[in-house]
Amino acid sequence: FYSKSNRVLATESAKKMKVYKIKPDFGFQSFFPYDAEDPRHDKLIETGLTMGSGASWLTIWDPPTLHTDGPPLKTGNFAHLWGLGGIAIDSWACEVLQPTLENCELLPFLPYRSEVFNWMNVLERIECLDEEKTKWKVGKKSGKRFGIEEYQFAPERFTQSSLFTLPKDSALLTVTGLSDSQTEFKTIVEREGLTGLKFE
């Protein structure tokens, strides 16, 4: 039985929720997995395109090296991964964010300047997009959707995970206002002063 008072509570709870797209801060160092001359580089990229987001890599992961291009920048706790896509996370950030990373595979790279980064492979995929209210990018000639201009969500479909992706979109997302703010990804990142990410 879903009473009027329950609907009011659900509405109030939904108002507190906010969803953010997690984006790299390019003021900090980003990486290429493998040197471009390494034959494993192309294989890694090809595998990434084939598998897509939300797929487990655990059984096939062969720790790559990390390379930079251009003048070195300050290393953050997070770094963008060119080609492979997604985010690399250092060991300190892994430790302080541990409560929020239960639905992630942390796949290690070979040490970069004595620091071990991990690919933060998010496995949690939630079908929480409100497709009717979402504003889509549509091809002028084809009339087909090819991206999202403005996200709209159905709050009742969220799980307890504050870190997730969508089945039909590769963006890494995080939600606040679900439950205890102290266990939310964005809250911990900002509280601990972790660097290398932006929230949009």
Side-chain angles (χ1 to χ4, degrees):
F1 178 68
Y2 197 55
S3 67
K4 181 178 180 181
S5 60
N6 284 338
R7 285 197 297 273
V8 171
L9 287 172
T11 302
E12 290 303 312
S13 177
K15 287 179 180 178
K16 296 177 183 177
M17 294 179 192
K18 288 187 178 180
V19 179
Y20 297 85
K21 183 184 285 188
I22 299 173
K23 304 184 78 173
D25 183 343
F26 289 112
F28 292 87
Q29 188 66 62
S30 56
F31 296 114
F32 291 88
Y34 290 129
D35 186 284
E37 301 300 319
D38 190 319
R40 293 178 297 172
H41 173 272
D42 290 341
K43 183 178 179 182
L44 181 69
I45 305 309
E46 182 182 345
T47 304
L49 292 171
T50 302
M51 293 180 68
S53 62
S56 172
W57 286 63
L58 194 60
T59 59
I60 61 171
W61 186 251
D62 179 19
T65 53
L66 291 173
H67 292 267
T68 60
D69 186 23
L73 298 173
K74 183 178 179 180
T75 305
N77 301 107
F78 300 91
H80 178 67
L81 294 170
W82 293 104
L84 181 60
I87 300 288
I89 177 173
D90 72 9
S91 53
W92 170 243
C94 283
E95 184 177 335
V96 297
L97 284 162
Q98 191 276 329
T100 72
L101 300 177
E102 293 180 354
N103 295 315
C104 296
E105 287 179 341
L106 298 174
L107 304 171
F109 295 94
L110 295 178
Y112 173 80
R113 296 182 179 175
S114 75
E115 176 60 65
V116 174
F117 279 85
N118 297 269
W119 180 31
M120 193 170 71
N121 183 27
V122 178
L123 302 178
E124 184 81 356
R125 303 178 80 186
I126 306 175
E127 186 65 86
C128 56
L129 195 69
D130 187 327
E131 297 210 11
E132 291 186 4
K133 294 181 180 179
T134 291
K135 292 182 181 179
W136 298 88
K137 295 177 182 177
V138 180
K140 292 181 179 179
K141 293 183 178 180
S142 67
K144 294 181 179 180
R145 299 172 177 175
F146 67 91
I148 295 175
E149 187 175 320
E150 183 180 304
Y151 294 81
Q152 293 292 333
F153 297 94
E156 69 278 4
R157 298 182 196 165
F158 287 124
T159 66
Q160 289 303 304
S161 176
S162 68
L163 195 63
F164 65 97
T165 61
L166 299 169
K168 300 176 183 178
D169 187 63
S170 61
L172 182 56
L173 304 169
T174 187
V175 59
T176 62
L178 279 178
S179 53
D180 180 8
S181 65
Q182 299 307 306
T183 61
E184 292 173 345
F185 181 83
K186 181 175 183 289
T187 300
I188 297 175
V189 167
E190 293 175 341
R191 184 187 70 207
E192 299 294 333
L194 302 179
T195 56
L197 290 184
K198 292 182 177 180
F199 297 98
E200 180 182 277

